[in-house]
Amino acid sequence: MEKKVIQGFGHIPYRRAYLSPEEVLKNSENFFLSMNERRTVREFDSREVPEEVMITLIKTAGTAPSGAHKQPWTFCLISDPEIKRQIRIAAEEEEKISYSSRMPETWKNDLKPLGTDWKKPFLEEAPYLIVVFKQSYGIENGEKIQHYYVNESVGIACGFLIAAIHQAGLVTVTHTPSPMNFLSQILQRPSHEKPYLLLPVGYAKEETYVPDIQRKAIEEFLVRY
Ligand code: IYR
């Protein structure tokens, strides 16, 4: 197969090795079984994780599809204890207000089975924090460039990241302190970047507990036509 030109742009051949339906079935089942072991974990071990691992995880996130291939994301990787401390203090300040007055009773009741509260020690205990920013627009050579489907694109990249963290043998919690503009200030991000998600990453504490909750059965969320 040769290169070809479509609407003036080069296209290259792409082939995936053919796998039999049996192999495809096995792969899909194995991946499901592995992902089904994932749990949100809020208690981290202080054990170190090589930075190279974190960079590879973020590279995986960067393989996500995005609107018009604009890749409208920035991943901030934080290991500096002083910055983690600043983030914890600011997040807990917001969360304290949220839990005491901003969140309605229904919301707080829905969170009761998860055992969460305003305290976020994991923001200092995890060896790394990844703060994901979405870029409402891009800047190239000082010019504004349009981005498309920014929320969808960044959400998919975060999904890839969470899957990669799990596959590597580490754990995370999708933390969304609200409001989270303090992250832009602490990390000194430009105004076209908005905080999207905060993921502490590390090894799970050896003795840790997670809520006794079940996932929906497939019949509850699959509609076949
Ligand atoms: N942001 C708060 C509250 C919270 C909200 C949802 I929706 C959760 O699934 C979990 C927590 C916090 O991080 O505690």
Side-chain angles (χ1 to χ4, degrees):
M1 277 167 78
E2 304 230 323
K3 269 193 179 185
K4 58 178 178 176
V5 176
I6 299 175
Q7 295 179 10
F9 286 84
H11 286 236
I12 51 172
Y14 175 71
R15 285 208 113 185
R16 294 217 56 191
Y18 173 80
L19 300 181
S20 69
E22 294 74 25
E23 288 170 303
V24 169
L25 179 64
K26 191 135 202 32
N27 284 348
S28 66
E29 285 170 348
N30 285 342
F31 192 62
F32 163 69
L33 289 173
S34 166
M35 290 305 291
N36 202 30
E37 292 290 310
R38 188 202 57 78
R39 291 299 309 259
T40 287
V41 173
R42 293 178 168 80
E43 292 180 298
F44 293 83
D45 198 282
S46 58
R47 220 183 300 223
E48 279 185 26
V49 174
E51 195 184 45
E52 195 187 347
V53 170
M54 301 305 298
I55 292 170
T56 305
L57 297 174
I58 294 168
K59 268 194 203 169
T60 303
T63 67
S66 61
H69 191 52
K70 296 295 182 183
Q71 307 169 86
W73 44 63
T74 303
F75 293 84
C76 296
L77 177 63
I78 299 135
S79 59
D80 183 332
E82 177 49 32
I83 301 179
K84 287 198 281 183
R85 203 177 65 87
Q86 286 176 27
I87 291 178
R88 176 183 178 177
I89 291 170
E92 286 185 335
E93 245 168 54
E94 292 295 355
E95 293 290 277
K96 220 179 210 168
I97 306 170
S98 292
Y99 277 89
S100 66
S101 56
R102 281 196 286 241
M103 289 154 71
E105 283 309 306
T106 334
W107 192 351
K108 283 193 277 190
N109 283 334
D110 279 339
L111 289 181
K112 273 197 182 138
L114 308 183
T116 61
D117 59 24
W118 64 268
K119 295 187 213 97
K120 304 296 167 194
F122 54 72
L123 293 174
E124 282 191 276
E125 287 163 4
Y128 292 97
L129 303 179
I130 300 176
V131 182
V132 186
F133 286 83
K134 63 174 180 183
Q135 301 172 354
S136 347
Y137 57 91
I139 298 178
E140 253 175 45
N141 312 320
E143 299 273 301
K144 251 190 181 187
I145 53 168
Q146 183 75 39
H147 283 170
Y148 309 91
Y149 296 99
V150 170
N151 280 317
E152 291 82 351
S153 304
V154 182
I156 295 167
C158 288
F160 278 31
L161 180 58
I162 293 165
I165 291 167
H166 176 68
Q167 292 303 307
L170 303 173
V171 295
T172 188
V173 42
T174 46
H175 181 43
T176 50
S178 168
M180 52 180 165
N181 10 3
F182 66 87
L183 292 166
S184 306
Q185 274 131 46
I186 295 175
L187 301 171
Q188 300 178 9
R189 300 314 305 161
S191 62
H192 67 287
E193 292 186 9
K194 302 284 174 235
Y196 186 85
L197 198 63
L198 196 173
L199 296 161
V201 184
Y203 284 100
K205 211 171 177 181
E206 204 162 313
E207 284 189 26
T208 189
Y209 286 84
V210 292
D212 187 11
I213 49 176
Q214 311 303 321
R215 296 197 162 107
K216 283 182 179 175
I218 185 74
E219 297 75 25
E220 295 176 81
F221 63 95
L222 170 68
V223 185
R224 299 160 81 194
Y225 296 89

